[in-house]
Amino acid sequence: MSESSVNALLRAEGVGKSYTLRGRRVDVLRGIDLAVRGGEVTALVGHSGSGKTTLLHILGLLTPADSGRVFVDGADVSGLGDGALADLRRGRLGFVFQSYNLLPQHSALRNVVLPFTGRRAEGEARARALLARVGLAERADHLPGELSGGEQQRVALARALVNDPPVVLADEPTGNLDTESEDMLLGLFRELADEGRAVLLVTHNPAVSEFADVVHRLEKGALAGAGEKQVEATEKRSEATEKQVETTKKRAKAATKQVEAATKQAEVTEKTVEAAKNTENTESAG
């Protein structure tokens, strides 16, 4: 088992899925091995019909695989019953649906609170904090129909986070968004990864692929080009760290110069005061 698999918060091992269509078997997924690690944004890309959403639903414990195993936090969940899977979904996985799946009769706040597993007062406080985090504090009492597509998507993300899951999955999260809303949402996903969560995004959007740390490509139900951006992502992070170090050094130098300038100014002031005292003493003596 590879190091990346051992450290994965979510993992598929040999996952397969097929359907019967007009009497014929259609293999949607064939022997998928995939690891999603904490601290990274992983993108799953491919043409329509390649099996992306099916794989996402299997990893999200919404659809059972026909073969293979799924691991959450290193534990094999393949043999669990419906009740145990539901508990695991609520506590460990946050799912953001492409169509948002908000209840139209409930406010944004109520939609976020609904999946919360603790006390209601605690859930409402957490929901308000999450809506503030996604920039919707002032829209908490609005119905979904009163919100834009980007706002509804952010409500859906807040709902996915209400139980503080270590894994976040999203199906085409930017599919219906304008550029500004897309940038805001991707920024939020980056924050979640930086907090140590595993983030998996299914997407057709090239901008999301470029944004991701790791890209897995599905073609005809099989993975091709798995993890193709890992080296690039590591290099980018190293470059970013080097830039941060260089920036810190420059700030330290600037601070040192400011201290030196302040010290010189203090010396000048002290000499000026001393000269003034000497003049005063001379005048008094005269």
Side-chain angles (χ1 to χ4, degrees):
M1 186 181 296
S2 67
E3 181 181 352
S4 62
S5 296
V6 172
N7 295 331
L9 292 178
L10 183 65
R11 181 164 62 90
E13 183 181 283
V15 165
K17 185 71 178 178
S18 63
Y19 296 101
T20 300
L21 181 63
R22 297 177 183 176
R24 293 181 54 206
R25 171 174 165 154
V26 178
D27 291 321
V28 181
L29 297 172
R30 297 180 287 112
I32 300 295
D33 294 325
L34 182 148
V36 185
R37 291 177 293 277
E40 292 182 343
V41 176
T42 299
L44 185 60
V45 303
H47 298 296
S48 295
S50 62
K52 301 186 305 298
T53 296
T54 299
L55 178 55
L56 188 71
H57 284 192
I58 290 174
L59 291 170
L61 311 183
L62 297 171
T63 301
D66 292 339
S67 58
R69 297 185 295 172
V70 174
F71 297 81
V72 178
D73 281 349
D76 184 357
V77 303
S78 305
L80 297 180
D82 291 344
L85 289 174
D87 289 341
L88 198 57
R89 280 196 302 271
R90 279 193 294 267
R92 308 301 292 170
L93 307 175
F95 209 107
V96 183
F97 296 91
Q98 182 176 3
S99 56
Y100 318 138
N101 285 14
L102 301 178
L103 298 178
Q105 72 275 26
H106 290 304
S107 67
L109 179 65
R110 183 61 179 155
N111 268 282
V112 176
V113 170
L114 280 173
F116 188 67
T117 56
R119 296 166 58 183
R120 181 172 178 176
E122 182 184 350
E124 183 169 322
R126 177 160 177 77
R128 288 191 182 279
L130 286 168
L131 286 172
R133 179 175 184 177
V134 300
L136 294 174
E138 296 180 355
R139 309 285 275 171
D141 296 325
H142 286 69
L143 297 175
E146 299 171 327
L147 304 174
S148 69
E151 289 172 335
Q152 290 185 58
Q153 188 67 291
R154 282 182 278 152
V155 172
L157 177 57
R159 179 183 60 191
L161 297 174
V162 74
N163 286 314
D164 197 22
V167 180
V168 177
L169 308 99
D171 190 5
E172 295 289 356
T174 64
N176 302 312
L177 304 184
D178 57 38
T179 302
E180 183 179 354
S181 296
E182 175 183 302
D183 290 344
M184 180 178 292
L185 191 66
L186 291 180
L188 290 168
F189 283 128
R190 173 57 62 198
E191 288 179 10
L192 297 176
D194 289 345
E195 292 169 358
R197 301 178 206 268
V199 179
L200 177 61
L201 310 178
V202 161
T203 185
H204 284 98
N205 188 342
V208 178
S209 301
E210 288 299 315
F211 162 82
D213 300 311
V214 181
V215 178
H216 294 278
R217 190 175 304 278
L218 266 178
E219 293 181 4
K220 297 180 180 180
L223 281 181
E228 61 191 34
K229 289 185 67 177
Q230 281 185 324
V231 174
E232 181 183 343
T234 301
E235 290 176 351
K236 285 183 177 178
R237 285 177 180 171
S238 296
E239 290 175 2
T241 301
E242 288 176 4
K243 288 180 179 178
Q244 288 176 344
V245 170
E246 188 62 30
T247 299
T248 301
K249 287 181 178 178
K250 289 180 179 179
R251 287 176 178 170
K253 285 182 179 179
T256 300
K257 288 181 179 180
Q258 288 177 345
V259 170
E260 290 175 352
T263 301
K264 288 181 180 179
Q265 183 62 44
E267 290 175 354
V268 171
T269 302
E270 186 177 342
K271 288 179 180 179
T272 302
V273 170
E274 186 64 30
K277 285 183 177 178
N278 289 340
T279 301
E280 183 179 344
N281 290 337
T282 300
E283 290 176 351
S284 297

